[in-house]
Amino acid sequence: MTTADARLRVRYAETDQMGVVYYANYLIWMEVGRANYCREAGIRYRDMEIEGGILLAVAEVNCRYKSPARYDDEVVVRTWIAEANPRMVRFSYEMTECSSGRVLVTGETKHIFCGRDLKPRKLPEKYRPAFGISPAQS
Amino acid sequence: MTTADARLRVRYAETDQMGVVYYANYLIWMEVGRANYCREAGIRYRDMEIEGGILLAVAEVNCRYKSPARYDDEVVVRTWIAEANPRMVRFSYEMTECSSGRVLVTGETKHIFCGRDLKPRKLPEKYRPAFGISPAQS
Amino acid sequence: MTTADARLRVRYAETDQMGVVYYANYLIWMEVGRANYCREAGIRYRDMEIEGGILLAVAEVNCRYKSPARYDDEVVVRTWIAEANPRMVRFSYEMTECSSGRVLVTGETKHIFCGRDLKPRKLPEKYRPAFGISPAQS
Amino acid sequence: MTTADARLRVRYAETDQMGVVYYANYLIWMEVGRANYCREAGIRYRDMEIEGGILLAVAEVNCRYKSPARYDDEVVVRTWIAEANPRMVRFSYEMTECSSGRVLVTGETKHIFCGRDLKPRKLPEKYRPAFGISPAQS
């Protein structure tokens, strides 16, 4: 199983009055994680969208909050593919605070490959290896 | 089962370059929904936090994306309590686009009642009725 | 001078660990204010963008922070047009906390009318009255 | 004049349906820029807030938008201090797209040094050198 690690630092904007990171922001970090995964797997998500006309429409998110991140923490977002076929991909994530190794959040997102019209569309063969999908799979 | 409906209009800021609402923003709308639920149940979440020293720390989020919301859409966030006891509460949500009745998102969030130190703390009795918890429950 | 008032309630997501609204969020409220201004002036910004192919690209923002907004505050965003011609429009804003009348923020934004390619484009005549521009103005 | 450069990559969440970065997000990047400036000047903003009880309350923002940033662009936020005394500090920013050197945004923010109560408070002497303020200045 291939994993990709993205590193980020918590922004003041991402905190709320509880003094910790607001819960929706971890979904933004998941996006940072999977863009980084794609980049390390050899494709830029931007190019796939602009040149390939392929978008990843999100279908499902699950997120478990273990421990809160705080302002200025350095966070690692570890991302890997849990499942993929020419119609969909499911990413898994584990986020940890760097200095302590404390797990912050674990979660998954499921995405449907779509065209620009947001209608489902099979992933073109040239993008399949990056997602660990056999080009011949139907 | 009591439900509470909050109404909001999609902001430009909430869209992304796919032309639809960015997926993390639905979690913000869930927050709008449950603040509204509490208000209709007779407590202001702000007062519970400031006067009661009780915070709702999120433990889990699940979200299923059915159909995308777009800029300027009017959205209803229907919220109800799926489960509650003096230690935790689980909210359920259904979001629909007003003019069409189209379901956008369904989801749940699970929260632990905490003190200001973010450590678990039993919900004081005076707040229990609003969450449908019997004051005597331990 | 015509003004338009939009009303909103501060979301938890909009606060930061200082316990007040994060400063960038007032720009989102300005957007809410000017969308509301357009609506009251008889045009939906969404339609102007989709049907008319006209976008308002922001060129400048100035914002003075007088007093902080807090979670759950009700806020009125008063918006008016300070200057407009077929090439640009400048909006002014004053935001107040409803219950106290306290002024939170005053500011301006300057926008250039553009086509979908984000290149400057003169505002079509049919949209001019909404911005208080004489249709004949060149 | 000392400058500090922070580097970031545009997130999908930061774009809007115009296909470019939403205008309020540049203020978040300004925050990233000045946190980085402080770090390079030898203080962590987080420590100043937690240990020193000093907060930077924003009083004014000015922002000129020259050219839009797009998803996945690498951006450099150059930050420097335009003016500072024991009561306030004014930061200046210039953001450029890395690969082209294209200027995206220039701007300033003015901040008042405050205590935890958000009331103005003179900057303690130990933090002054980081802001280029003479410790003896009154």
Side-chain angles (χ1 to χ4, degrees):
Chain A
M1 187 183 62
T2 312
T3 67
D5 285 0
R7 218 181 175 88
L8 55 86
R9 194 184 280 277
V10 176
R11 301 170 176 185
Y12 209 91
E14 293 170 332
T15 64
D16 64 24
Q17 69 179 41
M18 222 181 266
V20 297
V21 169
Y22 183 74
Y23 82 133
N25 292 321
Y26 295 93
L27 273 68
I28 299 178
W29 299 353
M30 288 178 173
E31 174 230 304
V32 171
R34 63 184 179 267
N36 180 61
Y37 183 94
C38 290
R39 204 177 297 118
E40 296 201 0
I43 51 169
R44 281 179 81 185
Y45 180 72
R46 168 155 83 171
D47 296 342
M48 192 169 75
E49 198 169 297
I50 294 174
E51 294 158 22
I54 292 293
L55 285 75
L56 271 74
V58 67
E60 231 178 281
V61 171
N62 299 293
C63 198
R64 286 165 300 282
Y65 300 83
K66 310 286 188 182
S67 173
R70 291 175 191 276
Y71 171 58
D72 211 41
D73 279 350
E74 270 202 281
V75 174
V76 168
V77 185
R78 174 158 295 179
T79 306
W80 63 96
I81 289 181
E83 187 189 351
N85 63 50
R87 282 172 197 77
M88 61 77 86
V89 57
R90 210 152 47 78
F91 287 100
S92 284
Y93 312 87
E94 188 186 63
M95 303 186 197
T96 49
E97 196 274 317
C98 282
S99 67
S100 66
R102 192 166 39 96
V103 175
L104 305 169
V105 158
T106 61
E108 301 84 37
T109 57
K110 183 185 162 183
H111 307 261
I112 309 297
F113 297 116
C114 288
R116 279 202 194 89
D117 54 3
L118 298 183
K119 298 242 162 71
R121 197 186 133 190
K122 271 200 202 171
L123 186 66
E125 296 193 3
K126 68 168 173 170
Y127 297 119
R128 295 186 186 180
F131 293 94
I133 305 168
S134 151
Q137 201 178 331
S138 67
Chain B
M1 185 182 64
T2 311
T3 66
D5 285 359
R7 217 180 175 88
L8 55 85
R9 194 184 279 277
V10 177
R11 301 171 175 183
Y12 210 92
E14 293 170 332
T15 64
D16 65 22
Q17 68 179 40
M18 223 181 265
V20 298
V21 169
Y22 184 72
Y23 82 133
N25 292 320
Y26 295 94
L27 273 69
I28 299 178
W29 298 354
M30 288 177 172
E31 173 230 305
V32 171
R34 63 184 179 266
N36 181 60
Y37 183 94
C38 291
R39 204 177 296 118
E40 295 201 1
I43 50 169
R44 278 180 83 187
Y45 180 73
R46 169 156 81 171
D47 296 342
M48 193 169 76
E49 197 169 298
I50 294 174
E51 293 157 24
I54 292 292
L55 285 74
L56 271 73
V58 68
E60 232 178 281
V61 172
N62 300 295
C63 199
R64 286 165 300 283
Y65 301 82
K66 310 286 190 182
S67 173
R70 292 175 190 276
Y71 171 57
D72 211 40
D73 279 351
E74 271 202 282
V75 174
V76 169
V77 184
R78 174 158 294 177
T79 306
W80 63 97
I81 289 182
E83 186 188 352
N85 63 52
R87 283 172 196 78
M88 61 77 87
V89 56
R90 209 151 49 75
F91 286 100
S92 284
Y93 312 87
E94 189 186 63
M95 304 186 197
T96 49
E97 195 274 318
C98 282
S99 66
S100 66
R102 193 164 39 96
V103 175
L104 305 169
V105 157
T106 61
E108 302 84 36
T109 57
K110 182 184 162 183
H111 306 261
I112 309 298
F113 296 115
C114 289
R116 280 203 192 88
D117 55 2
L118 297 182
K119 298 241 162 71
R121 196 186 133 190
K122 270 199 201 173
L123 186 67
E125 296 192 4
K126 68 169 173 169
Y127 298 118
R128 295 186 187 182
F131 293 95
I133 306 169
S134 151
Q137 201 180 329
S138 66
Chain C
M1 187 181 64
T2 312
T3 65
D5 285 359
R7 218 180 174 88
L8 54 86
R9 196 184 278 277
V10 177
R11 301 170 174 184
Y12 210 91
E14 293 170 332
T15 63
D16 64 24
Q17 68 178 38
M18 223 180 266
V20 297
V21 169
Y22 184 73
Y23 81 133
N25 291 322
Y26 295 93
L27 272 69
I28 299 178
W29 299 353
M30 287 177 174
E31 173 229 305
V32 171
R34 63 183 179 267
N36 181 59
Y37 182 93
C38 291
R39 203 177 297 115
E40 295 202 359
I43 52 170
R44 280 181 80 186
Y45 180 71
R46 168 156 81 170
D47 296 342
M48 192 169 77
E49 196 169 300
I50 294 174
E51 294 158 23
I54 292 293
L55 286 75
L56 271 73
V58 67
E60 232 178 281
V61 172
N62 299 293
C63 199
R64 287 164 299 281
Y65 300 83
K66 311 285 190 184
S67 173
R70 292 175 189 277
Y71 172 58
D72 211 41
D73 279 350
E74 270 202 282
V75 174
V76 168
V77 184
R78 173 157 296 176
T79 306
W80 63 96
I81 289 183
E83 186 188 352
N85 64 51
R87 284 172 195 78
M88 60 79 85
V89 57
R90 209 151 49 76
F91 287 100
S92 283
Y93 313 86
E94 189 187 61
M95 304 186 195
T96 48
E97 196 273 319
C98 282
S99 67
S100 66
R102 191 165 40 94
V103 175
L104 305 169
V105 158
T106 61
E108 302 85 35
T109 57
K110 183 185 162 183
H111 306 262
I112 309 296
F113 296 116
C114 288
R116 280 202 193 90
D117 54 3
L118 297 183
K119 297 242 161 73
R121 198 186 133 189
K122 270 199 203 174
L123 186 66
E125 295 192 4
K126 68 169 174 170
Y127 297 119
R128 294 187 186 180
F131 293 96
I133 306 169
S134 152
Q137 200 179 331
S138 67
Chain D
M1 187 182 62
T2 311
T3 66
D5 285 359
R7 216 179 175 88
L8 55 86
R9 194 184 279 277
V10 177
R11 301 170 175 184
Y12 210 91
E14 293 170 332
T15 64
D16 64 24
Q17 67 179 39
M18 222 181 267
V20 297
V21 169
Y22 184 73
Y23 82 133
N25 291 321
Y26 294 93
L27 272 68
I28 300 178
W29 299 354
M30 287 177 173
E31 173 230 305
V32 171
R34 63 183 179 266
N36 181 60
Y37 182 95
C38 291
R39 204 178 297 116
E40 295 201 359
I43 51 171
R44 279 179 83 185
Y45 181 72
R46 167 155 83 171
D47 296 342
M48 193 169 75
E49 196 169 300
I50 295 174
E51 294 158 23
I54 292 293
L55 286 75
L56 270 73
V58 67
E60 230 178 283
V61 172
N62 299 294
C63 200
R64 287 165 300 282
Y65 300 83
K66 310 286 191 183
S67 173
R70 292 175 188 277
Y71 172 57
D72 211 41
D73 280 350
E74 271 202 282
V75 174
V76 169
V77 184
R78 173 157 297 177
T79 306
W80 64 97
I81 289 182
E83 188 188 351
N85 64 51
R87 284 173 195 77
M88 60 79 85
V89 55
R90 210 152 48 77
F91 286 100
S92 284
Y93 313 86
E94 188 186 62
M95 305 187 195
T96 48
E97 195 273 320
C98 282
S99 67
S100 66
R102 193 165 37 97
V103 175
L104 304 169
V105 157
T106 61
E108 302 83 37
T109 57
K110 183 184 161 182
H111 306 261
I112 308 298
F113 296 115
C114 289
R116 281 203 191 87
D117 55 3
L118 297 183
K119 298 243 162 71
R121 198 186 133 191
K122 269 200 203 174
L123 186 67
E125 295 192 5
K126 69 168 172 169
Y127 296 120
R128 295 187 185 179
F131 293 95
I133 305 169
S134 150
Q137 200 178 333
S138 67

